[in-house]
Amino acid sequence: MPPRGPTRQTRAIRRLLLLAGACAVMLSARAAASPYPFSVSTRKNGQRHDLVASNRGSAPVSVRVSLTAADNVRATQPLPHYAVVAPASETILLSLFPAGTTRGQRFTFQSRFSIGSYLARPDSQAVYRLPYADGLSARVGQAPGGPLTTHVSPDSRHAIDFTVPVHTPIVAARDGTIIAAESSNLFGGQQRELLAKANYVRILHADGTIATYAHLSPGGVKVAPGEWVRSGTLIGASGATGYASGPHLHFVVQRLVAGEEGFALVSLPVRFHVGDPAVVVEPTYGQVLSATYDSPASLPPAGRKPSAAH
């Protein structure tokens, strides 16, 4: 009698196991991203309540605290209160006391925070190396002064798009500390829901500015938050994740600014150096720039190729 094949029940179990395995892979990938370890809590000390900020991460954090409701409350700082909390530290932002002695105090508070220091002063003389490996060349797909399909808001107005193939080695353009990284996103395209789905690395520099390297490939991040890297260190591989019409590297340097309701990132002009001896260049739309650092560099004029990257 020939051996019998799998029963219908066995096949169903196998399908469930395969589906469970696929789900486990997806959950594992999504678990790679974790929120920044910062919190604000209350601590009671007699009649006093302290608002305590705890920063367990590797970057300074700017925080805004306000009271959303208050009854018989006196604060030791004007509200809303803005502060910068150093990495790996805990600090009392302000204290709350009863305004009168005849009854108790009641309050609720709100906190908003952003990675980085809104008090930082960017170095206007800073010059960056090109953000891809030595010997490689890339065309500038978007840059200030050229035609823009995106890069129209304050956080990206000075961003540069370098058109590079998938898996191009991406390197740090300046010394700094890795403060955030995401590599679990799998897809890219021009659907609006992909706007926040790009893989990226963010690096904090000595002057408080922050560089973002975005649209990296799935799993294409080679560093982790807390690491300090030198200019030229491999940090990832290019891709087309998130809102993108094709493979490219989105590079932007930003500073944090305080507003009435919290904080926002504002992009800054960027200059690169190439060649030996070094030549400083402000990238223009269509220009092809080569990461040459052991011989004199030749800088071609801006090209006319239409931009496709976002």
Side-chain angles (χ1 to χ4, degrees):
M1 182 175 179
R4 298 177 60 188
T7 65
R8 180 178 301 175
Q9 182 179 14
T10 301
R11 288 194 296 269
I13 292 173
R14 286 179 181 175
R15 284 196 296 270
L16 286 172
L17 289 173
L18 287 171
L19 179 60
C23 290
V25 170
M26 293 298 292
L27 288 172
S28 175
R30 297 181 195 282
S34 58
Y36 190 85
F38 180 85
S39 62
V40 178
S41 59
T42 59
R43 184 177 297 165
K44 193 173 187 302
N45 186 353
Q47 288 190 313
R48 185 183 82 209
H49 286 82
D50 296 327
L51 296 189
V52 181
S54 177
N55 182 1
R56 300 179 301 281
S58 57
V61 169
S62 296
V63 59
R64 175 191 186 273
V65 291
S66 60
L67 296 184
T68 52
D71 180 30
N72 194 38
V73 171
R74 174 174 60 87
T76 56
Q77 297 285 350
L79 294 169
H81 177 58
Y82 293 78
V84 177
V85 185
S89 71
E90 185 176 272
T91 186
I92 296 176
L93 298 173
L94 57 87
S95 298
L96 302 171
F97 294 87
T101 58
T102 58
R103 55 194 175 91
Q105 60 174 327
R106 293 191 300 174
F107 65 89
T108 57
F109 75 93
Q110 178 186 70
S111 64
R112 295 177 178 175
F113 75 92
S114 292
I115 301 174
S117 171
Y118 76 97
L119 300 175
R121 295 294 177 261
D123 178 5
S124 62
Q125 303 303 310
V127 180
Y128 296 74
R129 67 149 287 151
L130 291 170
Y132 36 88
D134 290 1
L136 300 182
S137 299
R139 183 180 296 274
V140 177
Q142 285 194 89
L148 301 178
T149 53
T150 53
H151 300 189
V152 294
S153 56
D155 64 324
S156 64
R157 194 161 289 148
H158 295 284
I160 311 294
D161 278 355
F162 294 99
T163 304
V164 291
V166 173
H167 301 313
T168 296
I170 302 304
V171 303
R174 184 178 172 187
D175 297 354
T177 301
I178 309 298
I179 59 171
E182 172 63 69
S183 64
S184 66
N185 291 307
L186 303 176
F187 307 108
Q190 294 183 279
Q191 296 78 33
R192 304 300 292 180
E193 59 267 24
L194 295 173
L195 280 170
K197 298 296 184 180
N199 293 328
Y200 61 85
V201 170
R202 302 184 74 211
I203 298 180
L204 175 71
H205 308 132
D207 63 352
T209 58
I210 299 171
T212 298
Y213 307 70
H215 303 296
L216 303 181
S217 61
V221 172
K222 308 301 181 185
V223 289
E227 291 184 38
W228 188 85
V229 294
R230 287 189 179 276
S231 171
T233 300
L234 178 69
I235 61 171
S238 65
T241 55
Y243 189 69
S245 61
H248 70 286
L249 173 70
H250 175 90
F251 178 81
V252 63
V253 177
Q254 300 163 315
R255 67 183 179 97
L256 194 66
V257 297
E260 291 186 3
E261 298 299 322
F263 305 94
L265 288 167
V266 175
S267 63
L268 300 171
V270 178
R271 301 181 302 159
F272 296 96
H273 68 87
V274 294
D276 183 15
V279 176
V280 175
V281 57
E282 296 181 10
T284 58
Y285 162 69
Q287 196 171 29
V288 176
L289 296 175
S290 298
T292 301
Y293 292 101
D294 58 359
S295 61
S298 175
L299 301 180
R304 293 289 183 267
K305 184 178 180 180
S307 173
H310 298 316

